[in-house]
């Protein structure tokens, strides 16, 4: 061991002196060229380390063998021995294989259990028994050799690494400082999507025995995807418009839109200027009963519509119906700033340091207001879903910019009312259509580039929490399990996939994603293939053999999750006909209200008000008459003798409970960094015990534990003797 340590130190000195340029593990972050300025010599010199299964373009900065990763006291075992790597893309821990044990199959792209991407690191703390723990940054100077390294991740994981006192002090110091410098230097999105580093990424990581997905996720970047999904919903009265195919109408909208069939594209273009960011009303989902769910931005206050413009906007809002209900999502739901504030408080509370006393923990959880925001979103979506199920009308979700809360509510409504959205394929299509293609600003909300914290807000994570609430209340109605939602939550902080890396299709197209590297653009025809250039396959986005590359989609789970992990995505109790209480038909009071007066109504703050004019600026007021109170799904259930604290079914529509303890903390996600608190505050669940048993069995199979030899009879007799010195 001492000889090995001397070799590591000697290699480091030679590498820094320029005498060993072929070892990529000896380059410091500030010495490494970045971006497209790589020369052929540098690219050859910084090839991936042979001992570490890296991805194309990834190289090892520092490595420390003999590191122990703590696994938590609740799992009744201490740690796993292995090697800690710091690369230009992530921090990875590779467990050692015990002698005589079979090597554990490891995913070479990104192992979800032992690895963390650099943008996912929220805080890095080095600790020692002779000095106070210190939070490290790129400019920090560490004056002690760390004995323990703690990584506080943005996905609520807390990774503990211990460096034993066995002559590895130089390696512990170097790998700690390499992580501190790398986490603040890797902020360039262009470097993640550099074609010279990501060529044939998916083909290089896919195993030969991996089967192709028979039904790939629709990316909604081609006309065929939109037409296929519209045929599933029912094409009556709707068509796919190509008015925004070149993004000349609205850059934040997708290329193709679902609009009423009777509205021509020339008429449609007259409506763009009357909405914020030119985000016109368009179809999201069609209820089998005939109702339509639409989404749009708020009306542009400075627009001056003409008669033809008014006719086009009216055709979009009514969508062939006699009545239209405009749902103001901003009035009842938290703003992105409030969501971010609650999420920061929740993260501070759930982290083990500093710890909150058990008797004050639940009250502190209520003070974060995170569960209040989850409850408000679930209740709002439930009201809209019941409205769509009971009335044949047009329901328009309206938000100031139509890029945050509309994504959340539109997705939750479809989860409640569409059984297809509750399958894994349907859920992925839903996220791709209502979030990625619709233009949710992932780059700003997730802030993977660490460009300040202005605009950061985990709106998508709030949606995943709401989905988990529905999964917990209706476990048999969903085809995917909690492990799938947890994997999607963690993958949103990984910058190796294009799904959550950009804010809209226009931005993705500018970066060269999902199109061949070298396509030509003309003002009339848009993007067209250059001669003798192969088009990228849309479902996988793998690079052509002749050149060009792009990042894969997050839905290629085989790249970063093993077959055993993906098997846990499936819900074993899933059934199309879920057991539950059926709500009495006609329990909603919206029927009489909608039929009394007016064609356009505004639903905000639990009040339904008729609108005397289609455009609110015509009379200078959104609400002219007094609002009529509309009971929520909770109060409606109380009037009908249906307990509001119990989830129910209204046909195929799930009606969740939203009061009191019906909304709970997602413990498996938020309390991963403090398992002792999780087991101390909450009673154990059957699923939690089953998961713990499976994890223990997996560790036994991998050889992390070694059975101790039974003591000899002499040793047993000596240990049990009252005259033993140990006693």
């Amino acid at each position: 061991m001492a000889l090995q340590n001397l070799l590591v130190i000697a290699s480091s000195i030679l590498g820094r002196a320029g005498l060993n340029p072929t070892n990529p593990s000896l380059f410091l972050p500030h010495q490494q060229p970045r971006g497209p300025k790589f020369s052929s010599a540098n690219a050859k010199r910084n090839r991936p380390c042979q001992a570490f299964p890296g991805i194309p373009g990834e190289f090892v900065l520092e490595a420390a063998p003999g590191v122990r990763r703590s696994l938590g006291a609740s799992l009744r075992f201490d740690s796993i021995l292995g090697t800690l790597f710091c690369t230009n893309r992530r921090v990875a821990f590779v467990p050692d294989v015990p002698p005589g044990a079979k090597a554990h199959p490891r995913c070479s792209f990104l192992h979800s259990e032992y690895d963390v991407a650099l943008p996912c690191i929220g805080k890095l703390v080095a600790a020692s028994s002779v000095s106070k723990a210190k939070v490290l940054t790129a400019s920090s100077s560490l004056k002690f050799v760390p004995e323990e390294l703690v990584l506080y991740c943005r996905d609520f994981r807390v990774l503990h690494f211990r460096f034993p006192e066995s002559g590895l002090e130089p390696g512990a110091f170097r790998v700690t400082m390499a992580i501190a410098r790398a986490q603040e230097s890797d902020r360039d999105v262009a470097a993640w999507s550099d074609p010279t580093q990501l060529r044939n990424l998916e083909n290089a990581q896919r195993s030969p025995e991996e089967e192709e997905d028979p039904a790939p996720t629709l990316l909604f970047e081609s006309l065929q995807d939109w037409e296929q999904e519209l045929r599933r919903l029912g094409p009556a009265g709707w068509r796919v418009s190509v008015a925004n195919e070149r993004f000349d109408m609205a850059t934040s909208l997708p290329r193709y839109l679902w609009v009423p069939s009777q509205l021509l594209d020339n008429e449609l273009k007259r409506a763009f200027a009357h909405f914020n960011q030119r985000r016109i009303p368009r179809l999201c989902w069609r209820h089998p009963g005939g109702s339509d769910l639409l989404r749009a931005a708020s009306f542009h206050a400075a627009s001056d519509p003409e008669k033809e413009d008014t006719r086009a906007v009216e055709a979009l809002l009514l969508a062939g119906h006699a009545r239209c209900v405009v749902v103001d999502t901003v009035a009842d739901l938290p703003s992105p700033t409030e969501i971010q504030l609650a999420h920061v408080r929740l993260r501070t509370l759930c982290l083990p340091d500093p710890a909150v006393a058990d008797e004050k923990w639940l009250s502190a959880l209520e003070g974060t207001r995170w569960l209040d925001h989850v409850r408000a979103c679930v209740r709002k979506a439930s009201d809209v879903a019941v409205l769509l199920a009971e009335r044949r009308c047009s329901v328009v979700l309206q938000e100031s910019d139509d890029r945050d809360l509309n994504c959340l509510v539109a997705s939750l409504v479809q989860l409640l009312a569409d059984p297809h959205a509750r399958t894994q394929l349907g859920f992925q299509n839903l996220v791709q259509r209502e979030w990625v293609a619709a233009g949710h600003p992932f780059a700003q909300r997730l802030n993977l580039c660490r460009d300040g914290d202005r605009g950061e807000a985990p709106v998508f994570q709030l949606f995943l929490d709401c989905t988990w609430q529905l999964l917990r209340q209706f476990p048999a109605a969903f085809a995917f399990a909690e492990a799938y939602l947890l994997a999607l939550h963690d993958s949103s902080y990984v910058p190796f996939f294009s799904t959550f890396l950009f804010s809209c299709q226009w931005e993705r197209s500018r970066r060269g994603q999902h199109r061949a590297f070298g396509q030509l653009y003309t003002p009339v025809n848009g993007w067209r293939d250059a001669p003798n250039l192969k088009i990228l396959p849309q479902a996988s986005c793998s690079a052509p053999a002749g050149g060009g590359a792009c990042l894969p989609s997050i839905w290629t789970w085989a790249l970063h999750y093993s077959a055993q992990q993906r098997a846990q995505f499936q819900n074993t109790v899933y059934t199309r006909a879920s057991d539950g209480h059926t709500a009495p038909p006609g329990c909603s009071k919206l029927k009489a209200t909608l039929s009394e007066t007016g064609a356009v109504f505004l639903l905000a703050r639990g009040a339904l008000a008729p609108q005397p004019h289609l455009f609110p600026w015509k009379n200078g007021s959104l609400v002219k008459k007094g609002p009529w109170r509309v009971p929520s799904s909770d109060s409606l259930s109380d009037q009908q003798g249906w307990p509001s604290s119990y989830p129910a079914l209204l046909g195929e529509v799930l009606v969740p409970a939203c009061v009191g303890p019906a909304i709970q903390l997602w413990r498996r996600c938020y309390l991963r960094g403090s398992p002792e608190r999780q087991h101390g505050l909450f009673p154990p669940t059957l699923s939690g015990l089953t998961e713990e048993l499976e994890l223990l069995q997996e560790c036994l199979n991998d050889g992390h534990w070694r059975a101790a030899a039974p003591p000899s009879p002499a040793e047993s007799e000596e240990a049990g003797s009252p005259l033993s010195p140990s006693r």
Side-chain angles (χ1 to χ4, degrees):
M1 181 62 69
L3 180 59
Q4 180 181 2
N5 297 332
L6 291 176
L7 291 176
V8 172
I9 297 175
S11 300
S12 177
I13 296 175
L14 291 175
R16 295 178 183 179
L19 299 179
N20 188 12
T22 60
N23 189 349
S25 65
L26 305 177
F27 286 91
L28 294 178
H30 67 276
Q31 295 174 322
Q32 170 60 33
R34 301 182 52 81
K37 297 182 179 180
F38 277 146
S39 64
S40 58
N42 289 335
K44 181 179 180 180
R45 178 175 56 184
N46 297 323
R47 60 180 181 270
C49 180
Q50 296 180 359
F52 177 74
I55 63 176
E58 183 180 23
F59 53 88
V60 177
L61 301 172
E62 290 291 349
V67 179
R68 290 191 173 273
R69 186 208 168 198
S70 302
L71 298 177
S74 63
L75 300 178
R76 299 184 183 275
F77 53 88
D78 184 16
S79 60
I80 294 179
L81 184 65
T83 303
L84 181 63
F85 292 91
C86 174
T87 74
N88 61 325
R89 292 290 180 262
R90 51 179 163 165
V91 176
F93 178 79
V94 179
D96 291 344
V97 180
K102 184 180 179 180
H104 186 274
R106 174 183 170 83
C107 179
S108 60
F109 186 71
L110 185 66
H111 195 275
S112 59
E113 184 179 357
Y114 297 131
D115 297 4
V116 54
L118 293 178
C120 188
I121 300 177
K123 184 171 63 172
L124 180 66
V125 179
S128 176
S129 58
V130 298
S131 180
K132 185 179 179 180
K134 183 176 183 179
V135 179
L136 298 178
T137 61
S139 59
S140 299
S141 59
L142 191 60
K143 298 181 180 180
F144 60 88
V145 177
E147 299 176 3
E148 184 179 7
L149 188 63
V150 185
L151 275 67
Y152 294 91
C153 305
R154 298 175 63 189
D155 57 7
F156 287 85
R157 288 185 299 164
V158 180
L159 305 182
H160 295 263
F161 300 101
R162 293 187 300 170
F163 303 99
E165 298 180 1
S166 58
L168 297 180
E169 289 82 0
F173 182 87
R174 291 197 306 268
V175 75
T176 300
M177 296 307 302
I179 296 174
R181 296 171 183 173
Q183 67 163 336
E184 295 193 7
S185 60
D186 192 28
R187 299 182 178 182
D188 188 9
V189 179
W192 299 333
S193 57
D194 184 10
T196 62
Q197 300 186 36
L198 297 170
R199 180 169 301 169
N200 297 323
L201 175 60
E202 183 176 1
N203 295 334
Q205 304 302 327
R206 184 180 295 275
S207 58
E209 63 274 7
E210 190 71 30
E211 297 182 359
E212 294 291 338
D213 191 357
T217 302
L218 302 179
L219 300 182
F220 293 96
E221 295 191 353
S222 66
L223 182 63
Q224 292 76 14
D225 288 352
W226 291 93
E227 292 177 342
Q228 177 181 342
E229 185 68 9
L230 185 59
R231 286 193 297 268
R232 187 191 67 84
L233 297 176
W238 295 92
R239 67 177 181 89
V240 181
S241 172
V242 296
N244 196 47
E245 189 174 16
R246 296 200 300 258
F247 303 108
D248 49 358
M249 293 290 101
T251 56
S252 63
L253 284 178
R255 297 177 183 269
Y256 308 101
L257 308 172
W258 288 335
V259 298
S261 300
Q262 70 273 15
L263 197 61
L264 301 178
D265 283 350
N266 292 335
E267 301 172 336
L268 179 66
K269 293 179 180 180
R270 305 184 67 94
F272 281 93
H274 304 297
F275 294 88
N276 291 340
Q277 298 189 17
R278 304 174 66 87
R279 297 178 65 90
I280 61 173
R282 66 240 183 244
L283 178 68
C284 292
W285 179 71
R286 182 175 178 84
H287 191 274
S291 299
D292 295 316
L293 177 66
L294 294 84
R295 56 183 294 181
S298 300
F299 294 104
H300 200 291
S303 64
D304 185 14
E306 300 178 356
K307 185 176 181 180
E308 292 79 5
D309 303 344
T310 304
R311 187 181 299 110
V313 174
E314 182 179 358
L316 286 173
L317 292 177
L318 293 177
H321 296 277
R323 306 175 186 87
C324 171
V325 178
V326 178
V327 180
D328 186 5
T329 57
V330 180
D332 301 317
L333 301 182
S335 64
T337 303
E338 295 172 335
I339 295 175
Q340 171 66 7
L341 179 60
H343 194 259
V344 170
R345 292 173 177 173
L346 179 66
R347 185 190 306 277
T348 304
L349 177 65
C350 294
L351 290 179
D353 186 25
V356 181
D358 290 349
E359 61 272 12
K360 298 180 180 180
W361 200 90
L362 295 178
S363 59
L365 174 62
E366 184 180 359
T368 63
R369 300 209 60 191
W370 179 260
L371 296 183
D372 293 338
H373 298 338
V374 174
R375 182 178 296 107
C377 295
V378 173
R379 180 184 291 114
K380 189 73 170 182
S382 178
D383 292 342
V384 176
V386 171
L387 176 62
L388 287 168
E390 291 193 343
R391 297 301 302 168
R392 290 178 60 93
C393 62
S394 168
V395 179
V396 183
L397 304 177
Q398 195 168 45
E399 187 190 4
S400 58
D401 56 358
D402 182 39
R403 303 184 69 177
D404 288 299
L405 299 178
N406 275 6
C407 300
L408 191 150
V409 176
S411 302
L412 288 180
V413 169
Q414 296 178 58
L415 283 177
L416 294 173
D418 189 0
H420 176 73
R422 299 193 286 268
T423 64
Q424 181 174 341
L425 178 61
F427 186 80
Q428 293 176 174
N429 290 340
L430 174 67
V431 172
Q432 191 71 31
R433 185 180 71 250
E434 298 297 340
W435 291 84
V436 181
H440 177 66
F442 282 105
Q444 183 181 13
R445 296 294 181 240
L446 295 179
N447 194 22
L448 295 180
C449 296
R450 310 288 182 87
D451 188 13
D453 55 357
R454 183 178 181 181
E456 182 178 350
V459 183
F460 183 71
Q461 283 70 18
L462 178 62
F463 162 69
L464 294 180
D465 196 326
C466 296
T467 305
W468 177 82
Q469 304 289 340
L470 302 180
L471 174 62
R472 187 186 60 83
Q473 296 191 26
F474 303 94
F478 289 82
F480 50 84
E482 182 184 11
Y484 172 77
L485 294 178
L486 194 62
L488 186 56
H489 175 275
D490 296 346
S491 299
S492 62
Y493 292 102
V494 178
F496 307 135
F497 306 95
S498 64
T499 305
F500 304 132
L501 200 57
F502 304 98
S503 297
C504 58
Q505 289 185 355
W506 174 76
E507 181 180 340
R508 183 176 290 104
S509 64
R510 293 185 62 191
R511 297 282 185 176
Q513 298 295 320
H514 298 295
R515 66 175 179 85
F517 185 75
Q519 281 184 325
L520 303 178
Y521 179 83
T522 58
V524 177
N525 299 323
W527 287 106
R528 292 297 182 266
D529 299 326
N532 302 324
L533 187 60
K534 183 179 179 181
I535 301 177
L536 297 179
Q538 182 192 23
S540 60
C541 192
S542 58
C550 64
L551 291 174
S553 170
I554 194 67
W555 314 121
T556 53
W557 295 108
L559 297 183
H560 51 128
Y561 284 91
S562 63
Q564 182 180 3
Q565 291 173 321
R566 299 197 305 273
Q568 299 177 3
F569 291 174
Q570 306 302 321
N571 187 5
T572 57
V573 299
Y574 168 68
T575 175
R576 292 296 298 270
S578 305
D579 296 333
H581 295 270
T582 302
C587 65
S588 176
K589 302 300 181 182
L590 296 177
K591 181 176 181 179
T593 304
L594 287 179
S595 60
E596 287 186 7
T597 179
V600 179
F601 297 82
L602 178 67
L603 178 61
R605 302 187 185 278
L608 187 65
Q611 298 299 294
H613 297 282
L614 179 63
F615 291 98
W617 55 79
K618 281 194 172 184
N619 59 348
S621 175
L622 285 175
V623 181
K624 190 173 183 179
K625 299 183 180 180
W628 296 336
R629 297 298 300 176
V630 178
S632 64
S633 57
D634 298 330
S635 59
L636 290 174
S637 57
D638 293 337
Q639 297 176 4
Q640 299 293 332
W642 163 30
S644 60
S645 59
Y646 200 88
L649 296 175
L650 181 61
E652 289 188 344
V653 178
L654 308 180
V655 184
C658 304
V659 297
I663 303 298
Q664 299 183 6
L665 179 69
W666 191 2
R667 294 176 291 166
R668 186 176 175 184
C669 179
Y670 303 136
L671 295 180
R672 285 180 289 179
S674 182
E676 294 82 4
R677 179 175 300 279
Q678 178 177 357
H679 289 270
L681 288 176
F682 304 96
T685 61
L686 180 60
S687 59
L689 294 176
T690 303
E691 179 187 359
E692 187 169 338
L693 288 175
E694 292 177 354
L695 181 59
L696 295 177
Q697 184 64 41
E698 181 181 353
C699 292
L700 284 174
N701 297 336
D702 296 343
H704 295 317
W705 288 344
R706 190 177 303 174
S712 62
E715 293 176 350
S716 301
E717 182 179 356
E718 181 181 358
S721 174
L723 301 179
S724 176
S726 61
R727 291 182 177 271

